[in-house]
Amino acid sequence: MTNPNDHRICFIGDSFVQGACDPECRGWVGRVAAQARADGFNVSAYNLGIRRDTSADIAARWQGECENRFNVECDRYTVFSFGTNDMTLEHDQLRVGVEQSLANFSAIVGAASARYRTLVVGPVPIGEAEQDQRILALCNAYAASAKALGVAYLPVAATLAGNATWLSEVRANDGSHPGAAGYQLLADLVLAWDDWWFRGV
């Protein structure tokens, strides 16, 4: 049994889900959830973003964290966004190799979509040319995996990599994360997405 008037959404991912460096402490997740509320949907949004998390970290934790929040009758939704940290070099090696990242993606999204309504927002760029190329390639590979799984996927890397506001905010902050205007850009992409569940009428 579910309660169609209680929409619980778990947003699972990395620092970009968490909203790192947003002076308003809302990130794109808070903005998207606030708009859903403004449009009349009874949404409870759980921000499960953790800084530096890779796909491997998320694979290890997401199920328990979601189960703890879906512990009453409700409509259950999951939104995943990760991959940027996988493409970070540490000691001249990727934190998570591309093949393993794709395997993690398929395992996570496949299991989630079998149980909950699930969407995926692709990894975001950080304004560093070489890493952004890796992120763009991973974004495309994730898109193909999501299509194979039958899960809607929003690729944002190419759009944000070409956006002056996003890039200038990343440079002005810590070199990886945007400020309020950048997170608003990302929120707007989600809100304009045809597959987003809570659209204004």
Side-chain angles (χ1 to χ4, degrees):
M1 287 287 284
T2 60
N3 179 354
N5 296 314
D6 182 4
H7 306 293
R8 295 194 176 193
I9 317 172
C10 286
F11 293 86
I12 309 104
D14 51 26
S15 56
F16 297 96
V17 170
Q18 187 267 326
C21 294
D22 182 359
E24 298 178 10
C25 298
R26 294 193 293 154
W28 67 269
V29 168
R31 289 169 168 80
V32 164
Q35 187 60 55
R37 279 272 179 177
D39 288 335
F41 297 98
N42 182 25
V43 165
S44 295
Y46 298 96
N47 190 320
L48 304 179
I50 296 179
R51 294 192 74 159
R52 299 194 81 250
D53 257 18
T54 65
S55 61
D57 298 314
I58 291 160
R61 70 177 172 87
W62 76 269
Q63 294 191 56
E65 293 192 352
C66 289
E67 289 170 359
N68 287 339
R69 290 159 178 85
F70 295 150
N71 57 356
V72 298
E73 292 184 5
C74 61
D75 274 349
R76 299 169 173 89
Y77 305 81
T78 56
V79 181
F80 293 91
S81 185
F82 55 82
T84 296
N85 291 321
D86 290 22
M87 297 296 98
T88 299
L89 290 177
E90 285 189 348
H91 309 297
D92 296 323
Q93 292 187 330
L94 293 176
R95 292 187 64 203
V96 179
V98 173
E99 289 188 9
Q100 185 60 55
S101 184
L102 288 170
N104 292 339
F105 180 96
S106 293
I108 293 165
V109 177
S113 61
R115 302 175 65 183
Y116 312 122
R117 301 180 194 185
T118 299
L119 297 175
V120 182
V121 177
V124 304
I126 63 167
E128 196 283 314
E130 291 187 3
Q131 182 164 349
D132 282 355
Q133 286 301 313
R134 296 193 295 271
I135 292 167
L136 286 164
L138 186 67
C139 181
N140 292 334
Y142 276 2
S145 294
K147 183 176 181 180
L149 292 167
V151 174
Y153 179 87
L154 180 64
V156 298
T159 299
L160 296 177
N163 186 282
T165 297
W166 178 271
L167 296 175
S168 65
E169 287 224 325
V170 166
R171 286 192 295 269
N173 279 305
D174 64 351
S176 297
H177 302 91
Y183 283 113
Q184 185 64 58
L185 282 170
L186 186 47
D188 289 343
L189 292 175
V190 175
L191 292 169
W193 187 15
D194 287 343
D195 289 299
W196 176 240
W197 302 293
F198 305 105
R199 301 173 63 82
V201 294

